[in-house]
Amino acid sequence: MSHGPRSGLAAVSSALLAMSRHLETRDVLKTIVASARELLDAQYAALGVPDDHGGFAQFVVDGVSDAQWKAIGPLPRQHGILAAMLHEARPERLADVRKDPRFEGWPHAHPDLVDFLGLPIRDGDEIIGALFLANKNCPKPEGSCGFTQEDEELLALLAQHAAIALTNARLYERSRELTIAEERSRLAHELHDAVSQKLFSLRLTAQAAAALVDRDPARAKGELHQVAALAAEAAEELRAAVVELRPAALDEDGLIATLRTQIQVLDRAHTARVTFTGAGYRALPAAQEEAVLRVAQEALHNALRHAHAERVDVSVERRGTGAVLRVSDDGDGFDPASVGRAGRHLGLVSMRDRASGVGGTLTVEAAPGKGTTIEMEVPGG
Ligand SMILES: Nc1ncnc2c1ncn2[C@@H]1O[C@H](COP(=O)(O)OP(=O)(O)OP(=O)(O)O)[C@@H](O)[C@H]1O
Ligand SMILES: [Mg+2]
């Protein structure tokens, strides 16, 4: 292939555009090698991204068939001329790579390379890859004509853009990993806050039904209806957590009615007396209402599960433009300082995150033998 100055520029430009069109690292690498091979009219092109252990994290070739690639075997190590390009960081242009003192022979099934042009790909001071070409196609059938100084300059330009495309692809992949990690932790909190409590109540209600079934079938039947209702709610919460919806009840009934209903259910399901008061409350921004509901649920759940309380009192009242939630039990209490952040205990961590996530504050007032009070204040809007 030979280019006049115009078509040469057009070819370079379309190669650069192709590189920036992809976001996945592997696609970017493939486009780079294919473009390099085409632009410089070579038989083979390859691009290696080094790992930290003397091998290549990725190695992409163009001009080699899949069958041939398989037959060659494992990825090369960073040795010989490949290593020199990565470590000495300068271009290598050789008329016959096999005559170079660093040449160590080809693996079985490797094509025979003669003329060779290699360039490091740099991001600042860091070498993030090596791009190389071999066997320039020659108009004359006999022998090879080799890569020129001009080819080297063209490849250098390509390598600079390859560096940008590679760095972007890495940033993109990194940010996607972060998003996935955040999403996982959100889901874990959501499942913990909403679903595990419903299942806990469900278990207790089912036990109550089992205990009543001989003695008082009518009441057992009532408990079983409750089991069905709790199971339906758990399923709904699970669905909401997975698709990141607000609990439907919040939109339909508002915070106060939602809390009141849930607390009535808990009062019936547990031996402790559970009460609710909502005084002078005014609707809050949606995110704050959701946070208040979740914190109330977790605080209630902790009180009913850990405290051996006789009473749990929940209140929501207006303060300034915002509101204060208080969940207070007369149970065993505990030492908040002794609850590690790490490990299995998600509840307290999750409550703090929820509060700070909407610009609010959370205080835990607890001491062994003195009960526990959780207070959350949100600013309103
Ligand atoms: N109201 C309470 N009364 C007595 N102890 C409590 C109360 N709330 C929390 N605790 C103690 O603090 C610990 C941590 O609570 P946290 O909600 O963070 O985790 P958890 O309830 O053990 O587990 P998870 O909430 O992740 O299911 C509890 O294990 C319990 O010992
Ligand atoms: Mg808990």
mmCIF file of all heavy atoms in Angstrom, residues 35-65:
data_model
loop_
_atom_site.group_PDB
_atom_site.id
_atom_site.type_symbol
_atom_site.label_atom_id
_atom_site.label_comp_id
_atom_site.label_asym_id
_atom_site.label_seq_id
_atom_site.Cartn_x
_atom_site.Cartn_y
_atom_site.Cartn_z
ATOM 1 N N SER A 35 -4.383 -1.167 13.040
ATOM 2 C CA SER A 35 -4.097 0.101 12.351
ATOM 3 C C SER A 35 -2.613 0.227 12.029
ATOM 4 O O SER A 35 -2.232 0.673 10.945
ATOM 5 C CB SER A 35 -4.493 1.287 13.223
ATOM 6 O OG SER A 35 -5.806 1.175 13.654
ATOM 7 N N ALA A 36 -1.776 -0.163 12.997
ATOM 8 C CA ALA A 36 -0.336 -0.043 12.790
ATOM 9 C C ALA A 36 0.103 -0.923 11.618
ATOM 10 O O ALA A 36 0.870 -0.507 10.751
ATOM 11 C CB ALA A 36 0.414 -0.438 14.057
ATOM 12 N N ARG A 37 -0.408 -2.131 11.590
ATOM 13 C CA ARG A 37 -0.006 -3.051 10.525
ATOM 14 C C ARG A 37 -0.450 -2.527 9.164
ATOM 15 O O ARG A 37 0.310 -2.553 8.192
ATOM 16 C CB ARG A 37 -0.621 -4.437 10.765
ATOM 17 C CG ARG A 37 -0.109 -5.497 9.802
ATOM 18 C CD ARG A 37 -0.518 -6.878 10.247
ATOM 19 N NE ARG A 37 -1.849 -7.225 9.803
ATOM 20 C CZ ARG A 37 -2.116 -7.792 8.610
ATOM 21 N NH1 ARG A 37 -1.134 -8.043 7.766
ATOM 22 N NH2 ARG A 37 -3.336 -8.087 8.287
ATOM 23 N N GLU A 38 -1.658 -1.993 9.120
ATOM 24 C CA GLU A 38 -2.175 -1.504 7.854
ATOM 25 C C GLU A 38 -1.418 -0.255 7.392
ATOM 26 O O GLU A 38 -1.013 -0.149 6.237
ATOM 27 C CB GLU A 38 -3.664 -1.211 7.998
ATOM 28 C CG GLU A 38 -4.358 -1.114 6.655
ATOM 29 C CD GLU A 38 -5.773 -0.614 6.800
ATOM 30 O OE1 GLU A 38 -6.453 -1.061 7.743
ATOM 31 O OE2 GLU A 38 -6.176 0.235 5.983
ATOM 32 N N LEU A 39 -1.221 0.668 8.331
ATOM 33 C CA LEU A 39 -0.579 1.938 7.965
ATOM 34 C C LEU A 39 0.854 1.732 7.502
ATOM 35 O O LEU A 39 1.338 2.403 6.610
ATOM 36 C CB LEU A 39 -0.570 2.893 9.157
ATOM 37 C CG LEU A 39 -1.843 3.680 9.400
ATOM 38 C CD1 LEU A 39 -1.699 4.504 10.659
ATOM 39 C CD2 LEU A 39 -2.131 4.580 8.205
ATOM 40 N N LEU A 40 1.568 0.822 8.133
ATOM 41 C CA LEU A 40 2.963 0.628 7.782
ATOM 42 C C LEU A 40 3.162 -0.522 6.812
ATOM 43 O O LEU A 40 4.288 -0.846 6.463
ATOM 44 C CB LEU A 40 3.816 0.438 9.044
ATOM 45 C CG LEU A 40 4.165 1.772 9.700
ATOM 46 C CD1 LEU A 40 3.048 2.239 10.604
ATOM 47 C CD2 LEU A 40 5.472 1.707 10.440
ATOM 48 N N ASP A 41 2.050 -1.127 6.421
ATOM 49 C CA ASP A 41 2.075 -2.170 5.417
ATOM 50 C C ASP A 41 3.042 -3.302 5.785
ATOM 51 O O ASP A 41 3.955 -3.637 5.033
ATOM 52 C CB ASP A 41 2.464 -1.551 4.058
ATOM 53 C CG ASP A 41 2.044 -2.467 2.901
ATOM 54 O OD1 ASP A 41 1.264 -3.406 3.156
ATOM 55 O OD2 ASP A 41 2.510 -2.236 1.768
ATOM 56 N N ALA A 42 2.802 -3.852 6.958
ATOM 57 C CA ALA A 42 3.664 -4.939 7.422
ATOM 58 C C ALA A 42 2.870 -6.231 7.462
ATOM 59 O O ALA A 42 1.641 -6.229 7.468
ATOM 60 C CB ALA A 42 4.201 -4.618 8.815
ATOM 61 N N GLN A 43 3.595 -7.335 7.517
ATOM 62 C CA GLN A 43 2.942 -8.633 7.549
ATOM 63 C C GLN A 43 2.419 -8.952 8.963
ATOM 64 O O GLN A 43 1.361 -9.530 9.112
ATOM 65 C CB GLN A 43 3.981 -9.689 7.146
ATOM 66 C CG GLN A 43 3.418 -10.806 6.313
ATOM 67 C CD GLN A 43 4.538 -11.757 5.894
ATOM 68 O OE1 GLN A 43 5.726 -11.396 5.862
ATOM 69 N NE2 GLN A 43 4.155 -12.981 5.579
ATOM 70 N N TYR A 44 3.197 -8.558 9.972
ATOM 71 C CA TYR A 44 2.819 -8.859 11.346
ATOM 72 C C TYR A 44 2.911 -7.618 12.206
ATOM 73 O O TYR A 44 3.793 -6.783 12.020
ATOM 74 C CB TYR A 44 3.754 -9.904 11.960
ATOM 75 C CG TYR A 44 3.813 -11.185 11.172
ATOM 76 C CD1 TYR A 44 4.943 -11.514 10.428
ATOM 77 C CD2 TYR A 44 2.718 -12.064 11.179
ATOM 78 C CE1 TYR A 44 4.991 -12.688 9.690
ATOM 79 C CE2 TYR A 44 2.770 -13.242 10.439
ATOM 80 C CZ TYR A 44 3.908 -13.545 9.698
ATOM 81 O OH TYR A 44 3.946 -14.704 8.978
ATOM 82 N N ALA A 45 1.974 -7.539 13.164
ATOM 83 C CA ALA A 45 2.052 -6.475 14.164
ATOM 84 C C ALA A 45 1.668 -7.066 15.503
ATOM 85 O O ALA A 45 0.866 -8.001 15.569
ATOM 86 C CB ALA A 45 1.114 -5.329 13.804
ATOM 87 N N ALA A 46 2.243 -6.539 16.566
ATOM 88 C CA ALA A 46 1.888 -7.028 17.899
ATOM 89 C C ALA A 46 2.009 -5.898 18.902
ATOM 90 O O ALA A 46 2.722 -4.909 18.676
ATOM 91 C CB ALA A 46 2.798 -8.184 18.311
ATOM 92 N N LEU A 47 1.275 -6.049 19.994
ATOM 93 C CA LEU A 47 1.344 -5.060 21.065
ATOM 94 C C LEU A 47 1.308 -5.820 22.391
ATOM 95 O O LEU A 47 0.428 -6.659 22.604
ATOM 96 C CB LEU A 47 0.144 -4.116 20.965
ATOM 97 C CG LEU A 47 0.192 -2.806 21.740
ATOM 98 C CD1 LEU A 47 -0.905 -1.888 21.256
ATOM 99 C CD2 LEU A 47 0.052 -2.993 23.229
ATOM 100 N N GLY A 48 2.284 -5.557 23.219
ATOM 101 C CA GLY A 48 2.334 -6.232 24.518
ATOM 102 C C GLY A 48 2.211 -5.226 25.643
ATOM 103 O O GLY A 48 2.825 -4.167 25.607
ATOM 104 N N VAL A 49 1.392 -5.558 26.634
ATOM 105 C CA VAL A 49 1.280 -4.741 27.842
ATOM 106 C C VAL A 49 1.937 -5.538 28.964
ATOM 107 O O VAL A 49 1.480 -6.634 29.284
ATOM 108 C CB VAL A 49 -0.197 -4.459 28.188
ATOM 109 C CG1 VAL A 49 -0.316 -3.736 29.519
ATOM 110 C CG2 VAL A 49 -0.864 -3.674 27.071
ATOM 111 N N PRO A 50 3.026 -5.022 29.537
ATOM 112 C CA PRO A 50 3.759 -5.819 30.524
ATOM 113 C C PRO A 50 2.997 -5.956 31.839
ATOM 114 O O PRO A 50 2.229 -5.072 32.200
ATOM 115 C CB PRO A 50 5.036 -4.994 30.756
ATOM 116 C CG PRO A 50 4.654 -3.596 30.426
ATOM 117 C CD PRO A 50 3.600 -3.682 29.364
ATOM 118 N N ASP A 51 3.194 -7.069 32.517
ATOM 119 C CA ASP A 51 2.718 -7.156 33.906
ATOM 120 C C ASP A 51 3.911 -6.915 34.821
ATOM 121 O O ASP A 51 4.993 -6.569 34.356
ATOM 122 C CB ASP A 51 2.028 -8.501 34.182
ATOM 123 C CG ASP A 51 2.964 -9.688 34.037
ATOM 124 O OD1 ASP A 51 4.202 -9.478 34.059
ATOM 125 O OD2 ASP A 51 2.476 -10.827 33.875
ATOM 126 N N ASP A 52 3.725 -7.080 36.121
ATOM 127 C CA ASP A 52 4.819 -6.765 37.044
ATOM 128 C C ASP A 52 5.710 -7.968 37.322
ATOM 129 O O ASP A 52 6.580 -7.911 38.171
ATOM 130 C CB ASP A 52 4.249 -6.272 38.386
ATOM 131 C CG ASP A 52 3.411 -5.028 38.199
ATOM 132 O OD1 ASP A 52 3.722 -4.256 37.270
ATOM 133 O OD2 ASP A 52 2.452 -4.839 38.967
ATOM 134 N N HIS A 53 5.461 -9.065 36.621
ATOM 135 C CA HIS A 53 6.205 -10.276 36.971
ATOM 136 C C HIS A 53 7.020 -10.809 35.814
ATOM 137 O O HIS A 53 7.242 -12.013 35.703
ATOM 138 C CB HIS A 53 5.241 -11.363 37.455
ATOM 139 C CG HIS A 53 4.149 -10.841 38.318
ATOM 140 N ND1 HIS A 53 4.386 -10.351 39.585
ATOM 141 C CD2 HIS A 53 2.828 -10.681 38.085
ATOM 142 C CE1 HIS A 53 3.244 -9.938 40.105
ATOM 143 N NE2 HIS A 53 2.286 -10.114 39.209
ATOM 144 N N GLY A 54 7.428 -9.938 34.907
ATOM 145 C CA GLY A 54 8.286 -10.396 33.823
ATOM 146 C C GLY A 54 7.536 -11.030 32.668
ATOM 147 O O GLY A 54 8.141 -11.597 31.759
ATOM 148 N N GLY A 55 6.215 -10.959 32.691
ATOM 149 C CA GLY A 55 5.429 -11.475 31.567
ATOM 150 C C GLY A 55 4.621 -10.357 30.940
ATOM 151 O O GLY A 55 4.921 -9.180 31.130
ATOM 152 N N PHE A 56 3.608 -10.730 30.164
ATOM 153 C CA PHE A 56 2.723 -9.735 29.584
ATOM 154 C C PHE A 56 1.313 -9.934 30.110
ATOM 155 O O PHE A 56 0.798 -11.054 30.106
ATOM 156 C CB PHE A 56 2.716 -9.846 28.053
ATOM 157 C CG PHE A 56 3.950 -9.278 27.429
ATOM 158 C CD1 PHE A 56 5.030 -10.095 27.108
ATOM 159 C CD2 PHE A 56 4.049 -7.914 27.177
ATOM 160 C CE1 PHE A 56 6.180 -9.560 26.554
ATOM 161 C CE2 PHE A 56 5.193 -7.380 26.623
ATOM 162 C CZ PHE A 56 6.262 -8.198 26.307
ATOM 163 N N ALA A 57 0.734 -8.837 30.579
ATOM 164 C CA ALA A 57 -0.654 -8.904 31.032
ATOM 165 C C ALA A 57 -1.537 -9.117 29.817
ATOM 166 O O ALA A 57 -2.522 -9.843 29.866
ATOM 167 C CB ALA A 57 -1.040 -7.626 31.759
ATOM 168 N N GLN A 58 -1.182 -8.486 28.723
ATOM 169 C CA GLN A 58 -1.919 -8.663 27.480
ATOM 170 C C GLN A 58 -0.949 -8.650 26.317
ATOM 171 O O GLN A 58 0.061 -7.948 26.343
ATOM 172 C CB GLN A 58 -2.940 -7.533 27.323
ATOM 173 C CG GLN A 58 -4.232 -7.821 28.055
ATOM 174 C CD GLN A 58 -5.099 -6.595 28.222
ATOM 175 O OE1 GLN A 58 -4.606 -5.527 28.581
ATOM 176 N NE2 GLN A 58 -6.375 -6.738 27.958
ATOM 177 N N PHE A 59 -1.265 -9.442 25.312
ATOM 178 C CA PHE A 59 -0.416 -9.503 24.134
ATOM 179 C C PHE A 59 -1.333 -9.737 22.946
ATOM 180 O O PHE A 59 -2.003 -10.756 22.864
ATOM 181 C CB PHE A 59 0.589 -10.651 24.281
ATOM 182 C CG PHE A 59 1.761 -10.529 23.359
ATOM 183 C CD1 PHE A 59 2.903 -9.838 23.755
ATOM 184 C CD2 PHE A 59 1.727 -11.097 22.089
ATOM 185 C CE1 PHE A 59 3.994 -9.717 22.904
ATOM 186 C CE2 PHE A 59 2.815 -10.966 21.234
ATOM 187 C CZ PHE A 59 3.954 -10.277 21.644
ATOM 188 N N VAL A 60 -1.405 -8.760 22.063
ATOM 189 C CA VAL A 60 -2.361 -8.834 20.971
ATOM 190 C C VAL A 60 -1.605 -8.828 19.654
ATOM 191 O O VAL A 60 -0.669 -8.045 19.484
ATOM 192 C CB VAL A 60 -3.306 -7.609 21.037
ATOM 193 C CG1 VAL A 60 -4.249 -7.589 19.863
ATOM 194 C CG2 VAL A 60 -4.093 -7.628 22.343
ATOM 195 N N VAL A 61 -1.979 -9.712 18.740
ATOM 196 C CA VAL A 61 -1.260 -9.768 17.461
ATOM 197 C C VAL A 61 -2.210 -9.542 16.298
ATOM 198 O O VAL A 61 -3.418 -9.747 16.417
ATOM 199 C CB VAL A 61 -0.557 -11.129 17.260
ATOM 200 C CG1 VAL A 61 0.539 -11.326 18.290
ATOM 201 C CG2 VAL A 61 -1.556 -12.262 17.323
ATOM 202 N N ASP A 62 -1.656 -9.134 15.189
ATOM 203 C CA ASP A 62 -2.444 -8.990 13.967
ATOM 204 C C ASP A 62 -1.609 -9.551 12.825
ATOM 205 O O ASP A 62 -0.389 -9.342 12.779
ATOM 206 C CB ASP A 62 -2.774 -7.506 13.734
ATOM 207 C CG ASP A 62 -3.914 -7.347 12.722
ATOM 208 O OD1 ASP A 62 -5.009 -7.881 12.986
ATOM 209 O OD2 ASP A 62 -3.699 -6.714 11.674
ATOM 210 N N GLY A 63 -2.243 -10.297 11.920
ATOM 211 C CA GLY A 63 -1.526 -10.897 10.805
ATOM 212 C C GLY A 63 -1.242 -12.368 11.044
ATOM 213 O O GLY A 63 -0.672 -13.046 10.196
ATOM 214 N N VAL A 64 -1.647 -12.865 12.211
ATOM 215 C CA VAL A 64 -1.442 -14.277 12.542
ATOM 216 C C VAL A 64 -2.823 -14.903 12.677
ATOM 217 O O VAL A 64 -3.694 -14.333 13.338
ATOM 218 C CB VAL A 64 -0.685 -14.407 13.884
ATOM 219 C CG1 VAL A 64 -0.528 -15.860 14.292
ATOM 220 C CG2 VAL A 64 0.678 -13.726 13.800
ATOM 221 N N SER A 65 -3.047 -16.044 12.061
ATOM 222 C CA SER A 65 -4.375 -16.679 12.157
ATOM 223 C C SER A 65 -4.562 -17.261 13.561
ATOM 224 O O SER A 65 -3.592 -17.510 14.278
ATOM 225 C CB SER A 65 -4.512 -17.782 11.121
ATOM 226 O OG SER A 65 -3.721 -18.892 11.531
#
